[in-house]
Amino acid sequence: MVVMRRKIYDELVRWKAEKGQECLTVKGQRQVGKTYIIDKFASENYAHKVYIDFNRNPELMAAFENGISVDSIVKELSIRMEGSEFVPYSTIVVLDEIQECPRARSSLKYFALDERYDVIASGSLLGVTNTNAKKKSDKGPMMPMGYERVITLRSMDFEEYLWAINFPQDILDQVKEKVLSRTPLDQAEFEVLSRHFRSFMIVGGMPASVHEFVEKGSFSDSGSELDKIVGSIVNDINRYNDPINSRKTQRCFESIPEQLGFSNKKFQYSRVDKGSGSRASAEKYLENLLWVESAGYGNFCYSLESPLLPFKRIDDSFRVYMSDTGILVRMMGVSAARAIYDGAIGFNMGAIMENEVAECISKCGFKPYFYRKSSGKNQMELDFVIDLGGESVVIEVKSGKDRSAPSIHKVMDVFTVDRRMIFEDGNILVDGEGIEHYPLFAAAFIGLLEKGSTIRFRSFVCKRKFY
C-alpha cells in the first residue's frame, strides 16, 4: 500500500487547535490530493464527519440556497442526506468543490460564528472566471472575509515523493543536515539523491502519477496518469469557458512548453497567436493566460528592475513555468523523459531544470523572479532572484556539465546582492568568491538555506507555511 504523507496535514492540525471563529478553505489545482488529505484528517480527528461534494451531489446546493443560518442549513442537509449526523462540537463538515456553490462559501461566516461545527471547504478553481456562467444583475453571494483561513495545496514536493517511495528517513535527514551546514555529500548520497530527483522530474508530484510509479515501478504507468490529468485540465478549460475563450485559454496552456524552449523563456503572446503583433496578441490573450494562473496550472515568474530589495517587478515581462514538472515533461514527449533519465546533455534540458527549480522555490513558500538586461553595463541574465528571509539571493541553474556562469560572477560588479547560488550537477561547496554551489535536488530544500532555519521532527522547518 502506498502511503501519501503530506506536509499540509500539520497545517490542518494547527488550524483545529487554534481556529477560534474561523473555517478553513484548502485551494489548489485539481487532483493534487485535497480530498484525500482532508478526508484523512477528518477521519483521524473527529468522531463524526459530514461530506458533501457539490460536483457529484448538486442537489445539496438547495440547502444553502434556501437559508443561510446554520440551523436551517443543518436541518435541510439532515433531511436530504440520509444517515448524516450533525453532532455539535464533535462534527467536521467537509464542503468539496465549493466553487460550484458560492452560497455555501458565504455560509462559512455563519458556521465560524456559530462554532458548533468545524467546517473545511476545498476548491480546485476558486477565483477563476467562469465565462460560461450567466451574468446576474446582483453582486452575488458575499465572501466570508475574516472568517476563513485559506491555504494552498500544491502537488507533492521532492521530500514528499521520497516519503512515498520509502526512502530511508535517516539518510534523508543526514543529507538535509549537510545542505543546512553546506557540507559536501558523500558520493553515494549525491548519486542516489540525484537519480531520484531525475525520476521525480519525470513522474512529477501529482499523487495519482506518484502512486502508479511506486505501485508498478513504471514510468509508462505514471505517464498514463499524467495524460489523464492533462485531459482533465483541458476539460476544465472547456467547462469553465465559453467556446471562444475555451480555445484561447487552451492555446495559452499548451504553449507553455514551447515558450520555455526559447532562449530567453519569456512568455510572448505573439507565439500563441502566430503572426499577430505582440500588442494585439496581448490584448487578445491576457485574460485567458490569467485564467491559467488562477486555476493553479502555471507559476508566473516576473522580471525585476534590479535584483535588490525591495523588488520592483516589471508587469509585462514574465515567464510562465508549469506548476508540476511531470506535466511539463509529459507534454514535451517521451524524448524529454528519456533525456532526463539518461542525463543526456544534448537535449535542451535548461527549460526542464529551470521549471523544476521554480517549482521547488514556489513549494517552499518563496516567490521566484528573474533579472535580464540585453545591453549596457547591466547586461546579464539571472535565472532566479528571491527574497530569502530578507536577503536578496540570485540563483543560476546549470543543466549540464558546463559550469560557466558569467552573469552570477558579474552581478557583484553592478549590484550588491546578499548571496549567490548555483544549482548544478555537482556537490555542495562554497567557492573562493563566496558563491554557494548545490546539487540540483537541493533546490527542494531551499528553505534550509534561509538564515535561522533548523531541522527538527524529521522535517525541515522554514518560516513559511508548507504548500
Side-chain angles (χ1 to χ4, degrees):
M1 179 179 177
V2 182
V3 178
M4 298 293 187
R5 179 182 167 196
R6 304 301 302 273
K7 295 174 181 177
I8 200 172
Y9 189 94
D10 294 337
E11 277 293 302
L12 303 183
V13 172
R14 191 175 299 116
W15 164 77
K16 185 178 188 299
E18 63 187 27
K19 63 182 181 59
Q21 293 182 324
E22 187 179 56
C23 295
L24 181 69
T25 296
V26 181
K27 68 175 186 176
Q29 73 178 84
R30 204 179 294 282
Q31 299 186 59
V32 292
K34 297 184 298 296
T35 300
Y36 169 83
I37 200 65
I38 292 172
D39 181 70
K40 177 179 172 63
F41 167 75
S43 299
E44 294 176 353
N45 291 274
Y46 291 87
H48 304 279
K49 176 181 65 175
V50 176
Y51 175 78
I52 300 170
D53 184 334
F54 290 113
N55 260 341
R56 296 184 179 181
N57 305 107
E59 71 277 4
L60 296 179
M61 296 182 191
F64 297 87
E65 297 291 338
N66 295 338
I68 202 68
S69 73
V70 172
D71 286 333
S72 65
I73 293 171
V74 168
K75 180 180 178 180
E76 284 226 24
L77 289 176
S78 298
I79 295 171
R80 296 173 184 274
M81 300 177 67
E82 186 177 346
S84 60
E85 289 187 272
F86 288 84
V87 181
Y89 305 106
S90 62
T91 299
I92 178 75
V93 180
V94 180
L95 305 177
D96 203 359
E97 301 297 354
I98 198 170
Q99 76 276 356
E100 301 294 334
C101 185
R103 291 197 179 276
R105 194 170 183 192
S106 296
S107 75
L108 297 183
K109 173 181 177 179
Y110 302 100
F111 275 101
L113 291 171
D114 184 90
E115 294 191 82
R116 285 177 293 168
Y117 310 99
D118 289 358
V119 180
I120 296 182
S122 68
S124 302
L125 296 165
L126 290 169
V128 303
T129 300
N130 185 350
T131 57
N132 270 329
K134 294 180 179 179
K135 296 188 181 297
K136 298 181 179 180
S137 58
D138 65 337
K139 295 182 179 180
M142 66 176 184
M143 293 297 100
M145 301 296 291
Y147 299 94
E148 175 191 41
R149 181 184 304 187
V150 180
I151 57 177
T152 301
L153 178 62
R154 301 175 184 264
S155 61
M156 298 170 72
D157 66 20
F158 182 50
E159 186 168 20
E160 291 171 325
Y161 169 83
L162 292 175
W163 291 341
I165 66 173
N166 289 316
F167 186 83
Q169 185 66 54
D170 57 341
I171 297 177
L172 179 57
D173 287 342
Q174 290 172 19
V175 169
K176 290 194 295 181
E177 286 282 4
K178 290 180 179 180
V179 172
L180 177 64
S181 61
R182 304 178 204 173
T183 303
L185 302 169
D186 296 340
Q187 189 62 26
E189 293 171 334
F190 170 75
E191 291 178 357
V192 171
L193 267 295
S194 296
R195 174 168 53 82
H196 284 309
F197 194 62
R198 289 196 299 272
S199 295
F200 175 63
M201 283 190 284
I202 299 171
V203 174
M206 301 300 284
S209 176
V210 174
H211 182 277
E212 284 300 294
F213 180 71
V214 177
E215 188 80 9
K216 300 177 181 177
S218 166
F219 288 116
S220 62
D221 288 307
S222 67
S224 296
E225 290 299 321
L226 289 172
D227 288 338
K228 295 176 186 176
I229 291 168
V230 173
S232 71
I233 292 172
V234 174
N235 287 339
D236 278 341
I237 290 173
N238 291 330
R239 181 182 178 192
Y240 287 89
N241 288 280
D242 60 50
I244 294 176
N245 279 297
S246 174
R247 182 57 186 152
K248 289 163 60 180
T249 303
Q250 187 174 338
R251 289 177 70 178
C252 285
F253 172 73
E254 292 176 344
S255 78
I256 294 175
E258 180 186 2
Q259 301 269 1
L260 292 175
F262 287 89
S263 59
N264 65 7
K265 300 178 179 63
K266 177 182 174 182
F267 192 96
Q268 295 185 15
Y269 294 101
S270 57
R271 292 171 182 161
V272 181
D273 196 18
K274 310 219 183 267
S276 297
S278 57
R279 182 180 297 275
S281 296
E283 293 175 354
K284 182 177 179 181
Y285 287 101
L286 174 60
E287 290 188 6
N288 303 99
L289 185 62
L290 292 177
W291 194 100
V292 172
E293 180 185 30
S294 298
Y297 302 135
N299 289 326
F300 277 50
C301 181
Y302 286 88
S303 176
L304 294 175
E305 292 183 6
S306 89
L308 299 178
L309 292 169
F311 294 151
K312 295 181 180 179
R313 79 181 198 185
I314 303 172
D315 288 339
D316 61 353
S317 177
F318 55 88
R319 297 168 177 171
V320 181
Y321 294 100
M322 201 71 76
S323 60
D324 185 86
T325 304
I327 294 176
L328 172 68
V329 172
R330 192 64 183 178
M331 291 175 69
M332 293 178 76
V334 176
S335 60
R338 186 177 294 117
I340 294 171
Y341 185 78
D342 294 337
I345 60 175
F347 188 86
N348 180 16
M349 299 289 287
I352 298 172
M353 296 300 182
E354 280 191 32
N355 196 94
E356 184 58 60
V357 172
E359 180 186 336
C360 290
I361 291 171
S362 299
K363 286 179 175 177
C364 285
F366 303 99
K367 177 65 179 174
Y369 298 93
F370 75 96
Y371 177 80
R372 188 175 191 270
K373 286 289 184 280
S374 57
S375 61
K377 69 173 185 178
N378 295 355
Q379 181 178 354
M380 68 183 79
E381 181 170 353
L382 304 169
D383 293 334
F384 297 107
V385 184
I386 65 172
D387 178 352
L388 190 64
E391 293 184 306
S392 58
V393 178
V394 297
I395 296 172
E396 181 86 9
V397 179
K398 304 300 294 182
S399 57
K401 297 296 183 183
D402 178 14
R403 297 195 179 186
S404 61
S407 291
I408 209 164
H409 290 283
K410 177 182 178 180
V411 65
M412 292 298 285
D413 296 334
V414 183
F415 302 105
T416 308
V417 298
D418 294 303
R419 295 166 71 180
R420 293 173 290 169
M421 298 180 185
I422 299 179
F423 290 92
E424 60 193 350
D425 183 20
N427 214 323
I428 300 172
L429 66 92
V430 180
D431 65 25
E433 291 185 48
I435 300 173
E436 303 167 38
H437 296 252
Y438 300 96
L440 284 162
F441 66 79
F445 310 115
I446 198 165
L448 288 173
L449 305 180
E450 183 178 3
K451 285 187 176 179
S453 294
T454 59
I455 297 175
R456 77 175 74 134
F457 305 130
R458 294 184 173 273
S459 180
F460 80 80
V461 176
C462 72
K463 298 174 184 177
R464 290 159 174 77
K465 297 178 180 178
F466 287 126
Y467 292 93

